[in-house]
Amino acid sequence: HDATNVIVENNYLHDLCHEGIFMTPTVSNVQVLNNQIVHPTTAGINIDGTGDLIQGNTISGTYQHPSALGGVFAGCTNDGGSNADADGMRFFGANHIVRSNKTTDIEYDFGDTTKPNPDPHTDCFQTWGRSGENTTNILFERNWCSAPTNGSLGSQCDVAVIQALNGPVGNLTFQNNQFQDLIRGIDAALSGGGTPVGQLNIYNNTFDNLDEEAIVVSGGGSRTDNIDNNIFYDVGTQWDGFIAYSGGESFSANVFYRRAGAPGSGLWWGGSAVPPYQAVDPLFVNYGDSTGVGADYHLCIAGQNGCSATSTIGHTGATMPSVTNDYDGNSRNGGYSAGSEQMMH
């Protein structure tokens, strides 16, 4: 329980009644590197302690109630009961780096209790804080998350649910990540009790095809989050706009583009009047604009052939001293790009 300077590397962990890798609050400087975790229960990795490095791992097929499958899973009955869930990673503690991990293929079984995941609230990353700990100073970078396995999003599937129910949580940075085909993005709203989550920094991420908001920070008091250089592509495709907001956020050089144009209403803006999208950030496509030609949206998003030399998206993002590379590890120089990939001239 008091492990220090331990390396867990290059393992194949599969078909488990509990998490694939579980840390306690008393560990420090644990490195979890390049492991493949298939069919864990509850979560692939539970991060805790101080100063851990979680890098290069793949988590897939987390189960909520694996005992429904019988066979080798028949004994997996201590799974949390009605609180059972199916997540990628859960995180607590301080000073961690969570880098270049992949979470994918977590199924949703639409209430069918004969299957392992009848009703999970799946999160790639989740915390609610822990009593006696300060969950703080954590960097999430160059991760990829796309949870559904069957092409359907089910009822809930989020990038991250961040709450401070049992202990303080804040100073979390998400940069150079790719988040795709989910219900919602980074959700740090004040809900279910607890206290407001502290500072969030959201830099150079690509949010691709989210039904609802990419960022939820409403109801948490006055916030001072930094939201810079992100691409929001086809976000709010069925329900709300790109953010649920209470005030205090700082926006710079983000891109919002929907193929159908920005919604005319439905942007959840903390109960105040809904501003025009381009009043939030000049690069946002406006209501009714389904082309975005003026900023070369059609060249820079969703697997196209890269940006032109004059592209606003590709080469005139805000320079971020803390973001020195991109999702692939390429250096960011010669003009920053929005999103997780640095577009080259």
Side-chain angles (χ1 to χ4, degrees):
H1 291 287
D2 297 326
T4 300
N5 300 321
V6 171
I7 299 175
V8 182
E9 185 174 15
N10 293 331
N11 298 285
Y12 175 49
L13 307 170
H14 62 96
D15 302 319
L16 306 167
C17 288
H18 297 283
E19 293 87 348
I21 297 172
F22 190 96
M23 304 175 206
T24 65
T26 55
V27 307
S28 61
N29 300 318
V30 173
Q31 296 185 52
V32 179
L33 310 175
N34 303 319
N35 299 284
Q36 185 176 1
I37 304 171
V38 180
H39 297 318
T41 295
T42 303
I45 302 174
N46 188 90
I47 305 165
D48 211 334
T50 305
D52 303 324
L53 172 63
I54 314 299
Q55 180 170 301
N57 303 282
T58 298
I59 298 167
S60 62
T62 306
Y63 284 148
Q64 180 188 22
H65 296 291
S67 58
L69 294 171
V72 297
F73 295 105
C76 297
T77 56
N78 186 21
D79 58 13
S82 61
N83 293 320
D85 216 339
D87 294 330
M89 299 185 192
R90 294 178 170 183
F91 64 95
F92 309 92
N95 305 320
H96 308 311
I97 296 174
V98 183
R99 175 187 293 140
S100 298
N101 303 285
K102 183 176 183 179
T103 298
T104 186
D105 293 342
I106 299 176
E107 66 183 86
Y108 186 87
D109 294 324
F110 300 95
D112 187 346
T113 56
T114 68
K115 296 181 179 179
N117 287 20
D119 58 354
H121 186 297
T122 292
D123 309 304
C124 293
F125 308 104
Q126 184 180 21
T127 191
W128 52 90
R130 196 179 296 286
S131 179
E133 285 190 277
N134 190 357
T135 299
T136 186
N137 192 31
I138 303 176
L139 172 64
F140 301 87
E141 69 170 357
R142 298 165 60 185
N143 300 287
W144 189 86
C145 178
S146 178
T149 188
N150 60 358
S152 176
L153 298 176
S155 66
Q156 295 292 340
C157 190
D158 294 359
V159 170
V161 168
I162 303 168
Q163 297 172 292
L165 302 179
N166 297 339
V169 177
N171 195 25
L172 309 179
T173 297
F174 293 82
Q175 66 186 37
N176 286 331
N177 300 288
Q178 297 188 13
F179 304 128
Q180 183 177 22
D181 298 334
L182 302 164
I183 286 284
R184 192 180 293 112
I186 298 168
D187 185 346
L190 181 62
S191 60
T195 59
V197 171
Q199 176 76 18
L200 299 177
N201 302 303
I202 302 174
Y203 303 139
N204 280 101
N205 302 283
T206 297
F207 298 85
D208 180 2
N209 187 30
L210 275 63
D211 269 9
E212 300 180 8
E213 302 92 343
I215 300 171
V216 180
V217 289
S218 60
S222 178
R223 305 191 59 93
T224 57
D225 303 322
N226 297 309
I227 302 172
D228 304 307
N229 278 8
N230 302 283
I231 289 178
F232 305 101
Y233 175 68
D234 269 352
V235 169
T237 53
Q238 295 187 29
W239 305 108
D240 299 306
F242 87 103
I243 189 170
Y245 163 81
S246 292
E249 275 70 24
S250 171
F251 301 96
S252 175
N254 300 282
V255 171
F256 176 93
Y257 175 60
R258 280 186 59 193
R259 285 172 289 188
S265 62
L267 177 61
W268 182 10
W269 203 261
S272 60
V274 177
Y277 271 63
Q278 289 186 329
V280 178
D281 197 308
L283 295 182
F284 281 12
V285 67
N286 228 336
Y287 173 64
D289 181 355
S290 60
T291 62
V293 171
D296 280 353
Y297 293 99
H298 61 304
L299 293 176
C300 300
I301 310 295
Q304 299 296 330
N305 294 323
C307 298
S308 68
T310 59
S311 168
T312 304
I313 297 172
H315 307 294
T316 57
T319 299
M320 308 296 299
S322 63
V323 186
T324 60
N325 57 16
D326 71 356
Y327 175 82
D328 296 313
N330 298 316
S331 176
R332 287 190 182 270
N333 50 44
Y336 270 49
S337 299
S340 59
E341 299 281 1
Q342 175 67 20
M343 301 296 181
M344 304 303 174
H345 286 283

